Amino acid sequence: MAGLNLRFTEEELDSLRARAEAEGRSMQAFAHDAVITAVNEHSRLFNEAADHVQKVSEELNRRLA
């Protein structure tokens, strides 16, 4: 599995450590899941926006075809 090094300020690292501890997880697992969640959410929002644009421009696209 590929790896990735991330840099945090001391304050950010303390927050990450505290949050991971509060959930009973390692910092690595917590950070991994946070990144994957952000990627998936971005994809979902993009797809939602594309669907919306397609829907509202459906009539115009039909007339231009």
Side-chain angles (χ1 to χ4, degrees):
M1 189 184 289
L4 173 68
N5 291 322
L6 300 173
R7 299 193 191 286
F8 297 98
T9 65
E10 286 300 319
E11 293 80 18
E12 292 168 337
L13 193 57
D14 288 344
S15 294
L16 173 59
R17 185 178 290 111
R19 186 68 178 155
E21 260 181 44
E23 293 190 15
R25 303 170 66 200
S26 70
M27 290 193 309
Q28 184 177 9
F30 184 86
H32 172 270
D33 291 350
V35 169
I36 296 304
T37 298
V39 168
N40 290 339
E41 179 65 4
H42 182 271
S43 295
R44 185 188 69 77
L45 291 172
F46 178 87
N47 290 338
E48 237 178 52
D51 289 344
H52 175 74
V53 168
Q54 183 179 5
K55 183 178 178 181
V56 298
S57 62
E58 194 172 270
E59 175 62 20
L60 175 61
N61 289 336
R62 184 189 64 74
R63 285 187 280 155
L64 291 173

